[in-house]
Amino acid sequence: MDLTNFDWQNQVLFTDNDIDKSLYNWQMPLNTFYTDINTYFMLACNRFKWESEKIKPFNRFGKLLEFYLNTRGQAFITKNTLSVYQGCINGDFDDFGIPQKFTLYGYNGNKNNGKVYNYDDVIWIKNNMLKIPTIYWILKYCKRINIIEQTMDLNMQAQKTPYIAEANPLIVESLKLMFEDIDHLKKLVIVDDEKSIIDNIKIIKLDAPYLIDKLQDQKYNEENQLLQILGIDTINEKNAHMLYAEVENSNEITDSYSDIFLSERKVALEQLKEIVPDIKLSMVQHDASFDEMNGGEDIVDNYIKEIN
């Protein structure tokens, strides 16, 4: 999947679902695939917050930095101007596999008109060790969730029309009139005994098992896995009293995912502090907990954790 031109305006347009390709329209916000992508993408971009009093305007600095990390997998800050750029590796690697040069370009630029910087002149920030954009995970799970939701819609529709009736035109007309009477809640529906419905109709059953509850559970599992990757621990509401060990294990999984994205940012934070001592990095944390004082109920604690 090519995310070269992924930007603010067209982020909702990316899908591998051929059926959805005709729906590339901002006027269709109810399409769940696009809505889910936007929702999870905003959660990803809001996960880490950069703060400094010396860099102006810092709100744009931090937002653009996280946007590049989540869509490109890496971002660059020039040490002389503290400007945020996207870019690509340009040149050879040293003995430790570190690139020695980068081609940097702005939001509206591309690598063909970028400027080459040496490794020592920039701060190279990676979204994770492999420079994988977070949007890849979001697209993967949103596609799976969308398939489940489409299946749920089909299964719901199948419950509405469980039978097909095969009959001659006169019987068909009688059936239509009979169902109109039923729709109008008439107390008594009368049919012509000369047009025996029972003897002149063939019923084809379209039995479809009710799968909504199972599909809903599967959708929850997919959503929960994505949310854990995004650092949000969720509680299955069906389990009114989860075991303490289960909650702790869920928190550990979420923390492990968070560390994948946090570790590389901490490296960049240490380099930035040499230039901007007051810069701070914080991470929005969502941990599940087991509240024994509250009747053993599961709750989710939301807080901002400052990274040192």
Side-chain angles (χ1 to χ4, degrees), residues 1 20 43 49 69 96 98 121 132-133 173-174 232 255 284:
M1 182 176 295
D20 286 338
L43 286 173
K49 299 181 182 296
L69 291 173
F96 296 95
I98 304 299
D121 296 329
I132 300 174
E173 191 63 30
S174 295
I232 301 173
D255 290 343
V284 180

Side-chain angles (χ1 to χ4, degrees), residues 170-171 174 189-200:
L170 292 176
I171 297 298
S174 295
V189 177
I190 301 174
V191 296
D192 189 346
D193 61 352
E194 293 183 359
K195 303 173 184 177
S196 176
I197 294 178
I198 297 176
D199 298 332
N200 295 283

Side-chain angles (χ1 to χ4, degrees), residues 26 63 70 72 74 117 141 162 168 212 255-256 279 285-286 288 292 298:
W26 278 95
K63 289 180 179 179
N70 285 291
R72 303 289 192 266
Q74 60 184 354
Y117 285 81
Y141 282 98
N168 63 52
I212 303 298
D255 290 343
S256 297
I279 193 166
Q285 193 85 3
H286 307 265
E292 295 181 356
D298 305 310

Side-chain angles (χ1 to χ4, degrees), residues 36 76 171 258:
D36 287 347
F76 303 86
I171 297 298
S258 293

Side-chain angles (χ1 to χ4, degrees), residues 92-130:
D92 297 328
F93 297 81
D94 65 11
D95 294 337
F96 296 95
I98 304 299
Q100 296 305 290
K101 291 184 179 181
F102 302 98
T103 298
L104 308 189
Y105 46 96
Y107 181 77
N108 295 315
N110 58 66
K111 61 184 177 182
N112 295 323
N113 58 17
K115 182 179 179 181
V116 177
Y117 285 81
N118 293 321
Y119 177 83
D120 294 333
D121 296 329
V122 300
I123 296 174
W124 181 26
I125 307 179
K126 294 181 285 185
N127 190 44
N128 48 65
M129 184 179 69
L130 298 178

Side-chain angles (χ1 to χ4, degrees), residues 23 37 40 45 58 83 100-101 104 111 125 175-176 185 192 218 221 232 262 279 302 307:
L23 304 177
I37 289 177
Y40 292 119
C45 289
F58 200 81
S83 299
Q100 296 305 290
K101 291 184 179 181
L104 308 189
K111 61 184 177 182
I125 307 179
L175 283 173
K176 288 181 179 179
L185 301 177
D192 189 346
Q218 182 61 31
N221 290 335
I232 301 173
L262 176 61
I279 193 166
N302 302 325
I307 308 302

Side-chain angles (χ1 to χ4, degrees), residues 126 128-129 258-268:
K126 294 181 285 185
N128 48 65
M129 184 179 69
S258 293
D259 191 58
I260 292 174
F261 300 96
L262 176 61
S263 57
E264 295 296 331
R265 285 170 171 80
K266 289 176 69 175
V267 173

